[in-house]
Amino acid sequence: MESYLTKSLIPILLAGSCLLSTYSQSVTSVENSRAIEFPDIPGYVSLKCDLHMHTVFSDGSLWPDIRVREALMDGLDAICITDHLEYQPKRKDLPHPDRNRGYELALESAKGTALMVIPGAEITRSMPTGHFNAIFVKDANRLNQEDALEVFREARNQGALVFWNHPHWTSQKPDGVAELTEMHLTLLEEELFAGIEIYNDETYSDEALEIAREHQLFLMGNSDVHGPIDWSYDVSKGEHRPVTLVFATEKSIPAMQKAMEERRTAVWFENTLVGDAEYLVPLVEQSLELSRTGEGPIARVDIYNHSDADYILENLSAYTFHNQPGIFILKAHQKTPVWVKTRETLDSFDLRFRVLNAFTAPDTHPEIKLVVE
């Protein structure tokens, strides 16, 4: 026979269990709702990466395990802890001769998750060199040396990839215009860096994009976050950290590095995509799912947008629409009906659009084609 105590505890335990379950579902829901989502494209997986961030091991304010937790909440596939090699403002409180320590702690924290943690460091020099990130390094300690050129050569010896950070940073370029100096030309001549940030934190550079196009550099967009990520981006208002999309043959660190070496990257920030048409066009097209209902001279086409981008489309088709103007928005994760005035019943037809919030060059937008069956 059950005791009075047992009978009394059962409802309390059940209530507590339900409350814990509800809380757990609520947390999961919040995390899922903030996860950055883009589809894979034919032949490649679309990896969402933030490869420039700081911890207490340089001038950041958080321990590396928090960076891992934030990345998991944002649905990222890869991060890189890029603490400054030379700039160590916390050395009195947190002396650490091992420049690999932040990476090691983040890697340990990410065990058992799908998050890839990339080893890296930020080369922190005044102009005319500036700041660069070396990622996929073997030993960051060996990069901590006086001669700037030797640092880059050591990164190359380790098989690392190096990209130029915020070349438009007003602390080093007061006019905000990214420009190559003689030092940068030397680095390019020796093939000592291969990428460039066109977006950093909340700043963008058309000039950096032009430099990338001229010198065949891979594109980067990163948060460069120092404090909590939610202090910089208000998720409740739909804001998100900038990310670099890496189009790799599989989700692995070697495949990711190879993709970057082959310039298979794009940048996603605010509500904007920047990259080569070769990757942006399939990315947008794979984001959209079409279904047709009804027949006749006006065909209803429902377009479901599976991505996080609100695509701003300009109609380039041979048809006008019965319920949309020539420029309209496909909201993220929503279905948008488009009534196409075909004027006769067609078995199939094409819809063509220019994607106005995507750029392949400072003034150039990619164009997509959607086939309606």
Side-chain angles (χ1 to χ4, degrees):
M1 180 181 293
E2 294 178 319
S3 68
Y4 172 78
L5 182 60
T6 302
K7 290 180 180 179
S8 301
L9 282 176
I10 287 175
I12 297 173
L13 291 172
L14 286 175
S17 176
C18 290
L19 182 61
L20 181 60
S21 175
T22 301
Y23 172 76
S24 177
Q25 291 172 7
S26 173
V27 169
T28 302
S29 175
V30 169
E31 291 182 358
N32 289 343
S33 68
R34 68 181 283 162
I36 298 170
E37 296 183 51
F38 282 96
D40 296 333
I41 64 176
Y44 302 111
V45 295
S46 301
L47 302 177
K48 304 173 293 291
C49 312
D50 188 354
L51 304 178
H52 188 174
M53 58 182 65
H54 298 276
T55 73
V56 294
F57 287 95
S58 61
D59 58 344
S61 59
L62 298 179
W63 202 255
D65 66 328
I66 306 301
R67 291 287 177 238
V68 170
R69 178 61 176 164
E70 291 174 331
L72 292 171
M73 292 173 66
D74 285 344
L76 301 189
D77 296 293
I79 62 170
C80 186
I81 304 296
T82 54
D83 280 317
H84 298 281
L85 290 167
E86 302 88 348
Y87 182 50
Q88 292 287 311
K90 295 184 173 65
R91 59 167 48 94
K92 288 184 179 179
D93 304 300
L94 194 67
H96 74 107
D98 185 0
R99 295 294 190 267
N100 301 305
R101 188 58 179 151
Y103 158 71
E104 292 170 350
L105 290 170
L107 184 66
E108 178 67 25
S109 180
K111 279 185 178 178
T113 76
L115 182 68
M116 297 185 293
V117 179
I118 311 300
E122 182 163 7
I123 302 165
T124 313
R125 301 297 173 113
S126 58
M127 290 296 278
T129 304
H131 294 196
F132 285 77
N133 274 354
I135 62 176
F136 305 106
V137 300
K138 301 294 190 297
D139 182 2
N141 293 315
R142 285 156 52 192
L143 302 179
N144 191 21
Q145 47 185 294
E146 186 174 345
D147 186 277
L149 266 177
E150 290 306 315
V151 174
F152 286 88
R153 289 167 180 158
E154 173 59 32
R156 180 179 58 191
N157 292 340
Q158 293 188 26
L161 277 181
V162 178
F163 60 87
W164 188 5
N165 295 343
H166 43 67
H168 52 289
W169 184 33
T170 53
S171 291
Q172 292 191 331
K173 282 288 294 174
D175 60 4
V177 177
E179 293 178 305
L180 294 168
T181 68
E182 288 299 320
M183 178 62 167
H184 298 121
L185 292 173
T186 298
L187 294 173
L188 286 170
E189 185 178 350
E190 291 195 33
E191 299 183 349
L192 295 176
F193 80 96
I196 189 170
E197 280 186 342
I198 62 170
Y199 194 89
N200 174 282
D201 185 19
E202 56 181 16
T203 62
Y204 169 77
S205 172
D206 272 339
E207 294 82 11
L209 177 57
E210 288 289 12
I211 291 171
R213 287 165 51 82
E214 181 181 355
H215 295 277
Q216 297 295 294
L217 306 177
F218 59 79
L219 302 179
M220 299 296 291
N222 299 301
S223 68
D224 194 3
V225 64
H226 288 68
I229 196 74
D230 284 33
W231 285 7
S232 298
Y233 309 99
D234 190 340
V235 178
S236 68
K237 295 181 179 178
E239 296 179 0
H240 63 87
R241 73 168 81 201
V243 293
T244 301
L245 298 174
V246 178
F247 304 105
T249 54
E250 64 179 18
K251 184 176 179 178
S252 71
I253 290 177
M256 177 181 163
Q257 180 168 358
K258 183 174 178 56
M260 296 179 70
E261 291 170 346
E262 296 180 356
R263 299 184 62 250
R264 287 187 264 122
T265 68
V267 177
W268 165 239
F269 62 93
E270 297 177 6
N271 192 44
T272 305
L273 283 164
V274 181
D276 289 345
E278 181 181 358
Y279 307 112
L280 289 192
V281 169
L283 184 70
V284 177
E285 290 179 347
Q286 292 295 312
S287 298
L288 306 179
E289 179 183 351
L290 278 65
S291 62
R292 177 180 176 179
T293 57
E295 297 181 353
I298 299 178
R300 171 171 172 157
V301 180
D302 290 332
I303 307 178
Y304 190 89
N305 178 4
H306 290 281
S307 80
D308 263 14
D310 291 338
Y311 291 120
I312 305 172
L313 302 185
E314 178 185 3
N315 183 25
L316 304 179
S317 308
Y319 317 103
T320 56
F321 305 140
H322 196 53
N323 70 325
Q324 300 283 2
I327 296 177
F328 65 100
I329 299 175
L330 296 180
K331 298 289 290 183
H333 303 290
Q334 291 186 24
K335 179 175 68 177
T336 302
V338 180
W339 299 350
V340 186
K341 293 190 279 191
T342 58
R343 303 191 179 191
E344 59 181 320
T345 299
L346 300 175
D347 290 335
S348 67
F349 55 90
D350 295 343
L351 295 177
R352 296 177 181 272
F353 299 101
R354 182 177 291 118
V355 187
L356 298 181
N357 61 318
F359 294 84
T360 56
D363 297 312
T364 307
H365 308 284
E367 297 178 6
I368 63 170
K369 180 179 78 170
L370 305 177
V371 179
V372 180
E373 301 290 351

